[in-house]
Amino acid sequence: MTDLVDELLAEADAAIAAMQAAALRARALHAKAELMRHMRGTAAKLSKLPLNEAAEKVAGEWMKAWQLDATAYAALSGDVRRFTLAFCRNAQGETAATQQEIRDAIVALDTALAGHGTSIADQMAFRSECAHGWWDLVVPRPGGLPPRAFVPLHVPGTAFWDTACAERCRPA
């Protein structure tokens, strides 16, 4: 016969493990999706510019939001360029091919970042001025990164997932 308390403790442990896995997955998916939303919006805003000029400006805004300079990710410059060009090309005329180009560029950039021990989601969560504060509650931000004045801090007495991004970063 199983002891009721042991049964409840095992059930609780399983639920906690499932919650942790779900929180990690939600953080990764949300951070990645938020970067893509910002990329799409910035590319759309600059879609009237020539493709290469638009891509350069999109990359500049992106790196500024991540508090990086032009020398950051030098080894990944080809993947970064492919990524920004894909969004800019799509903004100038969305097709199934431009959507696939974005998908392929995301995989290539994430693969390149993985070679450096990171990911699109982690870089978005750790670096972006438009990060959602709850992401840091799931995976604490490493030390040594520049401060982010615009990322809201968790307010005690609220659910962690209510700690969103800065008002200026929210969709219109």
Side-chain angles (χ1 to χ4, degrees):
M1 171 170 74
T2 305
D3 181 85
L4 173 63
V5 173
D6 290 340
E7 193 176 296
L8 290 171
L9 288 170
E11 206 175 320
D13 286 344
I16 290 167
M19 175 198 62
Q20 290 169 335
L24 289 167
R25 183 168 168 13
R27 175 196 169 269
L29 288 170
H30 191 221
K32 192 173 188 177
E34 280 294 286
L35 174 61
M36 302 317 149
R37 182 178 66 78
H38 284 284
M39 295 297 290
R40 181 181 65 190
T42 305
K45 180 176 74 175
L46 300 170
S47 65
K48 300 298 181 209
L49 295 176
L51 183 62
N52 287 328
E53 184 180 346
E56 189 176 312
K57 287 185 182 283
V58 168
E61 284 194 32
W62 170 27
M63 291 299 113
K64 182 179 175 192
W66 281 16
Q67 303 180 60
L68 295 169
D69 63 23
T71 63
Y73 296 120
L76 308 178
S77 63
D79 295 300
V80 167
R81 179 156 176 72
R82 177 181 178 192
F83 181 70
T84 55
L85 277 169
F87 273 94
C88 291
R89 194 171 286 114
N90 185 72
Q92 292 180 351
E94 184 176 326
T95 67
T98 62
Q99 284 289 299
Q100 187 59 51
E101 184 180 358
I102 291 173
R103 285 181 179 86
D104 294 345
I106 291 169
V107 169
L109 181 57
D110 228 358
T111 299
L113 285 166
H116 292 271
T118 190
S119 66
I120 289 172
D122 279 348
Q123 289 301 291
M124 179 65 178
F126 295 151
R127 295 193 157 279
S128 180
E129 290 184 357
C130 290
H132 287 244
W134 73 265
W135 298 342
D136 289 350
L137 297 171
V138 175
V139 177
R141 198 166 173 252
L145 294 172
R148 300 176 303 178
F150 299 108
V151 177
L153 298 175
H154 178 68
V155 177
T158 63
F160 76 87
W161 54 78
D162 289 335
T163 308
C165 61
E167 191 69 40
R168 69 188 185 103
C169 299
R170 296 179 188 174

Coordinates of all heavy atoms in Angstrom, one line a residue, residues 50 73 92 107:
P50 N 16.4 51.0 -50.0 CA 17.1 49.9 -50.8 C 17.4 48.7 -49.8 O 17.7 49.0 -48.7 CB 18.3 50.5 -51.4 CG 18.0 52.0 -51.4 CD 17.1 52.2 -50.2
Y73 N 29.9 39.8 -32.3 CA 29.5 38.7 -33.2 C 30.2 38.8 -34.6 O 29.6 38.4 -35.6 CB 28.0 38.7 -33.4 CG 27.2 38.4 -32.1 CD1 26.3 39.3 -31.7 CD2 27.4 37.2 -31.4 CE1 25.6 39.0 -30.5 CE2 26.7 36.9 -30.3 CZ 25.8 37.8 -29.8 OH 25.1 37.6 -28.7
Q92 N 9.6 43.9 -48.0 CA 9.4 44.5 -49.3 C 8.5 43.7 -50.2 O 8.2 44.2 -51.3 CB 10.8 44.7 -50.0 CG 11.6 45.7 -49.3 CD 13.0 46.0 -49.9 OE1 13.4 45.3 -50.8 NE2 13.7 47.0 -49.4
V107 N 17.2 29.5 -38.3 CA 17.9 28.2 -37.9 C 19.5 28.5 -38.0 O 20.2 28.0 -37.2 CB 17.5 27.1 -38.8 CG1 18.4 25.9 -38.7 CG2 16.0 26.7 -38.5

